[in-house]
Amino acid sequence: MPVVERIVLVGVSGSGKSTVGRVVAAGLGWASLDTDAAIEAARGRSVPELFATEGEAAFRGWERETLLAAVARASVVIATGGGATVDPAVWGPDGLGRAGTLVVGLDVSPAVAIARMAEQHRRDGVTTDRPLLAGDDPVGRMAAMKAVRQRAYDRAGITLIVDRVGADEVAAEIRGMVVAADDGALPGITLDAPSGSSRIVVAPGSLARLGTLARERWPRAGRVWIVTDDRVGPLHVPAATAALGEAGFTPAIVTVPTGEGSKSLRWLGAVYDRLLGDGIERGDLVVALGGGVVGDLAGFAAATCLRGVGLVQVPTSLLAMVDSSMGGKTGINHAVGKNLIGAFYQPPLVVADPALLATLPERELVSGWAEVIKHAVIQASTPEGERNDLLPFLERNATRLATLGEPALSYAIRRNVALKAAVVTADEREAGIRAYLNFGHTLGHAIEAAGYRLLHGEAIALGMRAAARIGAAVETCDEGTVARLDALLDAYGLPRTTEADADAVLALMGSDKKRAAGRQRWVLPATGGGVCLREDVPEGVVRGALGAVIGRAMG
Ligand SMILES: NC(=O)c1ccc[n+]([C@@H]2O[C@H](COP(=O)([O-])OP(=O)(O)OC[C@H]3O[C@@H](n4cnc5c(N)ncnc54)[C@H](O)[C@@H]3O)[C@@H](O)[C@H]2O)c1
């Protein structure tokens, strides 16, 4: 990760650039510069006066000069005027494209922007309102202006949705991106469940700190077994071994074949044979280095060997980073169904290094986005619901995320981890809201189990599309919700349909272990955001929704 030397905030007036900029700068000990304020100070007149007397073209010229001079400096946070970044010239290598420049978009809905500006005017008597906004229907004018400028704002390295998030919190997140990029202090997210708590570190380059982080948690542990698969092992075991070695660990390597087949009694037996054969003791550690398969298998082995040994999850797939490596569910499959043998076992430490995703095959990456989108849909129904920003964040940042652009990638993973941690902290054993994490899984698991060569996330994507259609049919949500979800899944490259036998899929749903008292429990999108649980969905509705995702192309 390149070191960030300066931060530039872009977005419409009312998005909070000046306030956030000051707070970020104070936190980092950097200078803070507001291009509008700098022009006003240099010209001795307010922006509206300058617009009125000198005209917009002259103002834009000063704005460009001010911005280009500011980005030549280091250790500075720059808040730009709302129109300053529309000129393509400011994005060149001497401008916002300068190495070491992190451009952060602050995205706010027009109504919230206007309300904030009006509030500031009432409070401070300051007219931050741009002349362009004068007159009737300010929200409509703001919406029109934002639409025109959005292409420029979308060139930012990351766009944060700030409608419901206070300036201090936005500033803390931006500071976190600089700290993570510098690979300095690694912030951790805490998951506190009845069975144990996890410290989850998400930062590019964190694999190199694996040994230090493990040593902090287990000061006296001696022996470590890295469990991995035969694809991940050759790519990432050397770095993991080196990092552990620096902290005085000498890891042994246990390799299983790649693929779901390793989540089996046979391969669990092979892992036990190795750990017990080597004389593992309770104070020793298992490091699960891999995707969800390795995490589930090695996690279950760690949970059950000697009734529990130390466990570090080092997820290497996107799905594992945002979902399976945390929350404590571990286990293997049985011929009767997936994940039917398992245990809850919280890993005390999870180290997620998004840089490892560079080697993940494209199709696996796309599959991982399904769980991220699932989290975004359920967010409004979780303890993180107040913010309700994940869905628009994924919509706004789709292009950057699909190409693993930082800091958007790490931010997306961190926010997903925080959401899942909050859900599991509230309900480890799935007595309540943890069931929402099964959105898309009722049909998804059945499609997956029917053996249609789909990856987990691909099957879940189809399950979510079908669940949304069920929701529209039984009126938990409207058609707009279905269209928005479809568009988001499309944007991340997830499948629309698969060839499958509806009867086989429905029969497999009958053996899903998540049925409540023999009835199928559905997690369906809710009107106004989030999800709800329903157990009264007629089979005809399920068949209709299933028909939309299997056997034929969707309209
Ligand atoms: N425990 C939970 O809460 C939970 C939640 C969701 C899913 N799961 C389970 O997770 C499993 C799916 O996980 P997955 O999608 O990670 O599958 P996976 O573990 O099979 O990994 C996918 C593929 O990518 C390869 N891979 C992983 N990381 C790589 C990297 N950085 N570079 C190159 N190749 C890499 C693997 O070798 C494998 O071939 C399923 O078994 C599912 O049931 C568990």
Side-chain angles (χ1 to χ4, degrees):
M1 277 292 294
V3 172
V4 175
E5 292 176 2
R6 66 194 69 79
I7 296 167
V8 181
L9 303 175
V10 305
V12 293
S13 303
S15 57
K17 290 166 299 189
S18 305
T19 314
V20 169
R22 277 195 300 274
V23 182
V24 174
L28 292 170
W30 288 7
S32 160
L33 189 144
D34 183 315
T35 57
D36 280 355
I39 295 170
E40 287 177 338
R43 308 269 147 194
R45 274 178 291 167
S46 70
V47 173
E49 283 167 357
L50 289 169
F51 250 75
T53 56
E54 311 290 333
E56 179 168 357
F59 179 79
R60 296 287 174 222
W62 300 321
E63 201 172 36
R64 188 169 53 242
E65 266 170 38
T66 311
L67 185 52
L68 293 180
V71 292
R73 297 169 54 182
S75 304
V76 60
V77 183
I78 304 159
T80 59
T85 52
V86 175
D87 179 356
V90 306
W91 289 89
D94 293 333
L96 305 187
R98 187 182 280 271
T101 306
L102 170 61
V103 183
V104 180
L106 300 186
D107 190 277
V108 69
S109 58
V112 173
I114 294 295
R116 285 186 185 173
M117 288 159 69
E119 165 62 21
Q120 192 195 12
H121 184 56
R122 260 196 309 277
R123 200 182 55 225
D124 306 337
V126 176
T127 306
T128 53
D129 198 355
R130 297 291 170 272
L132 289 167
L133 291 172
D136 293 340
D137 187 19
V139 174
R141 284 162 161 262
M142 170 62 91
M145 189 177 75
K146 183 170 186 271
V148 170
R149 294 179 176 175
Q150 194 63 53
R151 271 165 68 106
Y153 299 151
D154 281 345
R155 295 179 71 165
I158 181 169
T159 299
L160 302 176
I161 310 299
V162 299
D163 272 10
R164 295 194 180 86
V165 192
D168 284 346
E169 209 175 325
V170 176
E173 275 161 1
I174 296 172
R175 269 202 316 278
M177 290 170 200
V178 177
V179 171
D182 276 339
D183 198 23
L186 298 176
I189 294 164
T190 304
L191 183 158
D192 261 320
S195 76
S197 46
S198 286
R199 177 184 180 201
I200 305 159
V201 171
V202 182
S206 55
L207 182 61
R209 312 266 316 272
L210 174 61
T212 321
L213 292 165
R215 190 52 86 194
E216 278 171 20
R217 177 63 183 74
W218 290 277
R220 283 180 299 282
R223 300 175 71 200
V224 177
W225 285 259
I226 297 177
V227 181
T228 189
D229 74 24
D230 56 16
R231 289 212 184 133
V232 174
L235 296 166
H236 300 298
V237 161
T241 304
L244 289 163
E246 278 175 23
F249 295 108
T250 43
I253 316 297
V254 185
T255 306
V256 300
T258 181
E260 192 69 25
S262 288
K263 271 176 60 174
S264 60
L265 280 171
R266 179 182 162 210
W267 285 102
L268 178 67
V271 175
Y272 285 148
D273 289 349
R274 180 67 192 279
L275 300 179
L276 296 169
D278 286 355
I280 192 169
E281 294 177 8
R282 291 207 61 188
D284 293 335
L285 297 185
V286 168
V287 172
L289 177 73
V293 164
V294 162
D296 280 7
L297 172 71
F300 187 56
T304 47
C305 221
L306 308 180
R307 299 196 182 86
V309 296
L311 173 64
V312 185
Q313 289 278 3
V314 184
T316 63
S317 68
L318 178 59
L319 178 139
M321 288 188 197
V322 298
D323 193 359
S324 63
S325 66
M326 90 211 83
K329 285 189 183 178
T330 68
I332 58 169
N333 302 327
H334 186 273
V336 170
K338 261 178 73 75
N339 300 327
L340 292 183
I341 300 166
F344 283 94
Y345 195 60
Q346 298 296 344
L349 178 64
V350 181
V351 179
D353 183 345
L356 304 191
L357 297 179
T359 59
L360 186 69
E362 175 71 15
R363 190 173 164 202
E364 297 289 350
L365 182 71
V366 167
S367 171
W369 289 119
E371 301 285 0
V372 174
I373 291 169
K374 175 194 81 179
H375 285 157
V377 173
I378 72 166
Q379 186 187 22
S381 303
T382 73
E384 294 259 302
E386 271 297 293
R387 306 174 56 123
N388 211 11
D389 58 343
L390 263 182
L391 211 50
F393 175 81
L394 293 179
E395 289 169 339
R396 196 81 274 149
N397 292 276
T399 316
R400 298 164 193 118
L401 289 173
T403 54
L404 301 181
E406 286 290 6
L409 177 64
S410 290
Y411 176 82
I413 296 171
R414 250 197 314 275
R415 292 299 321 286
N416 273 268
V417 165
L419 183 141
K420 180 156 180 189
V423 169
V424 175
T425 296
D427 176 26
E428 184 186 30
R429 297 280 161 154
E430 211 170 301
I433 63 167
R434 187 165 183 171
Y436 296 158
L437 292 170
N438 297 326
F439 173 54
H441 283 56
T442 310
L443 271 174
H445 269 163
I447 293 173
E448 196 180 7
Y452 295 109
R453 294 175 196 278
L454 289 177
L455 298 181
H456 180 70
E458 293 170 340
I460 298 314
L462 295 175
M464 289 193 284
R465 291 186 197 264
R469 283 163 173 76
I470 292 173
V474 300
E475 298 183 350
T476 64
C477 68
D478 54 19
E479 290 295 341
T481 308
V482 181
R484 191 176 183 191
L485 177 64
D486 275 343
L488 192 57
L489 292 165
D490 290 349
Y492 283 81
L494 285 150
R496 292 173 162 217
T497 58
T498 187
E499 292 296 325
D501 173 356
D503 288 324
V505 172
L506 288 170
L508 275 158
M509 262 172 41
S511 66
D512 191 309
K513 71 178 184 301
K514 283 168 186 140
R515 279 188 309 162
R519 302 191 70 172
Q520 192 66 60
R521 191 164 61 164
W522 292 93
V523 185
L524 303 176
T527 302
V531 284
C532 57
L533 297 178
R534 288 284 289 263
E535 293 184 4
D536 57 347
V537 177
E539 188 180 322
V541 170
V542 177
R543 276 189 183 275
L546 194 53
V549 298
I550 66 173
R552 63 181 171 80
M554 267 160 45

